[in-house]
Amino acid sequence: MGRSILVFSVVVVFLFSVAYATPGIATFYTTYTPSACYGGTQEGVMIAAASDTLWDNGRVCGKYFTVKCTGARNPVPHPCTGKSVTVKVVDHCAGGCASTLDLSGEAFAQIANPVAGIINIEYIEH
């Protein structure tokens, strides 16, 4: 009985988090170090820079976001791959940033055609 309740609770939490994904915009970049969060330390390639909206004086450093493409923001037809990607925030996408999350090129390519350059997304913080 206790195990059934645990499994049910996990499923409900998962469904609740999926239902409340936050809409945003994603772009991509190719320069990964130094970063605002980790200086010259490499943090892999599934990474992102956070916009001023998410930055919160660096409190978002090291947090993980699962990101999914939801559609085009320019004339590139059907840019989304249908996949999602989990990225670690390692940098700040400073003022004037065109996106909510500026993904690494590798992360962007997992969820969308890089030719698109900018896409609509939904993201969930973990």
Side-chain angles (χ1 to χ4, degrees), residues 39-110:
T41 303
Q42 293 284 342
E43 292 296 317
V45 295
M46 294 304 175
I47 56 175
S51 67
D52 286 340
T53 304
L54 295 174
W55 183 244
D56 194 20
N57 292 318
R59 287 184 193 92
V60 75
C61 285
K63 296 199 180 213
Y64 289 88
F65 290 82
T66 297
V67 184
K68 182 172 180 152
C69 175
T70 59
R73 289 195 64 83
N74 58 31
V76 174
H78 313 292
C80 302
T81 65
K83 298 178 183 177
S84 63
V85 67
T86 300
V87 294
K88 179 180 182 180
V89 173
V90 300
D91 213 348
H92 181 209
C93 184
C97 185
S99 62
T100 310
L101 287 167
D102 196 15
L103 306 174
S104 65
E106 293 86 349
F108 191 95
Q110 289 290 312

